[in-house]
Every structure is written in C-alpha cells, then in structure tokens.
C-alpha cells in the first residue's frame, strides 16, 4: 500500500514542477516579443517617412498652383522679392504648413519661402531629412531647375543616385524654380 501512496505522491510532485514557464521559456518569450516590437517600430518609421514625402510633394504642388493662380496675367510676371506673405494673406498655401508671424514652416521646422524672380519663382524648403530629400529631388520633373544645399541649379530629371549625392546631410535645403 505504501508503494501506491508513494507513486501518487510522486505524480503530485512532478505535476507541481511542470506548472508555469521556466526562466528560459520566459527569456525566450521576451526575446521574441522584443524582435516583433522592433520590427513594428521599423515598419512604422518607414510608413511615416513615406507619408511625410507624399505630404511634401502635395505641399509643393499646392504652393506652385497657388502662386500661378495669384499672378496669372500679371504684367511683370511674378515680380521680385518674397511672395510668402502674399500667399498667406490670400490663403493660397496648404493647411499642412504652419503659419507664424507671416512665415511658413514645414513639418521638420524648416522655413518654406516663395520668392518671385520676374518670369520665374522659387520655392525653398529647409530642414528636409535626407531620405525625403532624395525622393523629392528625383521625382519632380515638371520644374525648371532644382538646387540642393549650396549646389548649383540643375535641370531635371535627376537620377536617384545623383539626388542621393546632392542630399548629403541629415538636414537639407531644396530650392525649386518654376515658370
């Protein structure tokens, strides 16, 4: 009879040791969870970068359209000097740009400046991250020129490789020229 009781007690003891997760299982679980979280953060960062690029393309198009509408048929073209205040007062700028003290600011806290130059005008974007800069410079074919940082005006189209060479800092300045 004692052997039956001992066997039953042994089973209870074994069952007791098999409850829950061991330390190694817990560490493995945490490691897998960390990998999943890092992957999700990476995908989210990439998605936000793409959204910022798309928004910036839309802002450029909107500004260019607004300037052309405001100055359509004007003698002397677009005039000379800063047109930013005129765009703000006419509400001819995209709502995604921040307005403060008569100045426009993009989502990276860089200045957005529109300047008339007779029959052409320029739109300058400051503080543009490198990945967004490469995309914006290489995909805009309907501009007369583009200038990145301290470089010279370059006729479009620009290859992605040339854009990556031009957008060589973490915070870039891009100036587009339109007619």
């Amino acid at each position: 009879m004692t052997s039956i009781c001992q066997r039953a007690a042994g089973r209870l003891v074994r069952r007791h040791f098999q409850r829950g997760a061991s330390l190694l299982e817990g560490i493995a679980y945490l490691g897998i969870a960390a990998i999943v979280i890092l992957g999700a953060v990476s995908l989210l960062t990439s998605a936000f970068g793409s959204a910022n690029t798309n928004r910036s393309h839309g802002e450029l198009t909107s500004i260019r359209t607004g300037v052309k509408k405001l100055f359509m048929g004007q003698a002397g073209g677009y005039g000379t000097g800063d047109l930013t205040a005129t765009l703000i007062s006419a509400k001819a700028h995209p709502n995604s740009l921040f307005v403060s003290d008569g100045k426009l600011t993009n989502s990276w806290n860089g200045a957005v400046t529109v300047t008339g130059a007779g029959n052409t005008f320029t739109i300058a974007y400051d503080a543009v991250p490198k990945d967004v800069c490469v995309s914006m410079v290489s995909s805009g074919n309907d501009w007369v020129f583009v200038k990145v940082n301290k470089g010279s005006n370059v006729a479009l189209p620009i290859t992605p490789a040339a854009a990556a060479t031009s957008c060589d800092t973490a915070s870039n300045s891009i100036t587009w020229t339109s007619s």
Side-chain angles (χ1 to χ4, degrees):
M1 186 98 147
T2 57
S3 65
I4 294 174
C5 290
Q6 287 175 345
R7 279 189 244 150
R11 279 189 220 132
L12 288 175
V13 169
R14 272 186 251 136
R15 286 185 189 155
H16 175 71
F17 285 116
Q18 292 179 358
R19 286 190 205 154
S22 70
L23 182 61
L24 288 175
E25 289 170 333
I27 290 172
Y29 172 78
L30 290 174
I32 291 170
I35 290 170
V36 169
I37 289 170
L38 288 174
V41 167
S42 175
L43 288 173
L44 216 70
T45 302
S46 175
F48 283 134
S50 295
N52 284 337
T53 302
N54 291 340
R55 184 180 64 239
S56 297
H57 280 291
E59 290 170 353
L60 275 174
T61 302
S62 179
I63 292 169
R64 184 178 58 203
T65 302
V67 170
K68 287 186 175 192
K69 278 182 175 180
L70 281 174
F71 291 92
M72 189 182 312
Q74 297 291 318
Y78 302 102
T80 57
D82 193 352
L83 304 175
T84 309
T86 305
L87 283 175
I88 293 170
S89 66
K91 296 189 181 192
H93 61 84
N95 292 333
S96 56
L97 295 174
F98 305 105
V99 179
S100 177
D101 297 327
K103 297 180 181 182
L104 295 173
T105 305
N106 61 30
S107 59
W108 306 285
N109 293 321
V112 177
T113 310
V114 183
T115 308
N119 291 327
T120 63
F121 64 93
T122 62
I123 301 172
Y125 258 60
D126 292 334
V128 179
K130 183 173 183 162
D131 60 330
V132 177
C133 177
V134 171
S135 175
M136 292 179 77
V137 169
S138 63
S139 64
N141 292 332
D142 46 356
W143 298 91
V144 178
F145 298 110
V146 67
K147 179 171 99 170
V148 179
N149 297 323
K150 303 267 185 216
S152 57
N153 283 335
V154 178
L156 295 159
I158 296 175
T159 65
T165 302
S166 297
C167 300
D168 59 353
T169 64
S171 179
N172 298 278
S173 295
I174 310 170
T175 303
W176 292 269
T177 301
S178 184
S179 57

